[in-house]
């Protein structure tokens, strides 16, 4: 058959696959499926770990919130929880320490600047 000056052969275009190619294609398909399942399994493991870590964080935050609620109820009754007292005294001691450190540094700076 001649079309536009070129000879056309009947049938499909391209090369015909051999049986070896078919077997190789099936093996590649199986390997690809195995890899896909492995990736999916890893993805689900990662997501499960992420969910469990977030759930642990939520539980910790709920416990902390409950502790703060109890502190607020105690303060509403006119009681200061020992934890808050400890925090306040710790802050006061920390401020006193910072002030003494600043004074010591200022003293060293003045001594260094007055030396010839």
């Amino acid at each position: 058959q001649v079309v536009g000056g070129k000879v056309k052969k009947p049938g499909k275009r391209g090369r015909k696959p051999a049986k070896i190619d078919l077997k190789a294609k099936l093996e590649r398909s199986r390997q690809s499926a195995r890899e896909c399942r492995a990736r999916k399994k890893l993805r689900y493991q990662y997501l499960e770990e992420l969910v469990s870590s977030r759930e642990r964080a939520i539980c910790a935050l709920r416990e902390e919130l409950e502790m703060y609620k109890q502190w607020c109820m105690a303060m509403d009754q006119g009681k200061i929880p020992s934890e808050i007292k400890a925090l306040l005294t710790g802050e006061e001691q920390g401020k006193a320490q910072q002030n003494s450190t600043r004074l010591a540094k200022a003293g060293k700076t003045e001594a260094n600047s007055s030396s010839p």
Side-chain angles (χ1 to χ4, degrees):
Q1 190 178 19
V2 178
V3 177
K6 295 183 180 179
V7 177
K8 253 187 131 181
K9 296 179 183 176
K12 295 182 181 178
R13 293 188 303 177
R15 68 173 216 221
K16 296 179 182 177
K19 288 199 176 229
I20 297 171
D21 289 343
L22 184 61
K23 287 181 182 180
K25 184 177 179 182
L26 286 172
E27 185 55 38
R28 282 194 309 268
S29 176
R30 288 184 191 116
Q31 181 64 28
S32 177
R34 278 192 291 269
E35 290 171 0
C36 180
R37 286 190 295 271
R39 282 192 306 270
K40 183 177 179 181
K41 184 177 178 181
L42 284 174
R43 186 171 52 247
Y44 274 91
Q45 285 175 346
Y46 166 75
L47 291 173
E48 286 173 0
E49 289 172 8
L50 191 63
V51 166
S52 66
S53 70
R54 298 288 163 91
E55 285 174 347
R56 285 192 301 271
I58 288 170
C59 288
L61 289 170
R62 283 192 175 134
E63 289 174 5
E64 188 177 354
L65 179 63
E66 188 59 36
M67 180 184 66
Y68 290 140
K69 284 180 181 179
Q70 290 175 359
W71 287 4
C72 289
M73 289 190 316
M75 287 194 291
D76 287 344
Q77 295 171 358
K79 301 173 187 173
I80 299 177
S82 59
E83 294 92 347
I84 294 179
K85 284 181 184 177
L87 285 173
L88 292 173
T89 56
E91 286 179 10
E92 289 171 6
Q93 288 174 354
K95 287 180 185 177
Q97 248 182 349
Q98 286 176 353
N99 287 338
S100 64
T101 306
R102 285 185 194 145
L103 290 174
K105 285 182 180 178
K108 286 180 184 178
T109 307
E110 288 176 13
N112 289 341
S113 62
S114 62
S115 299

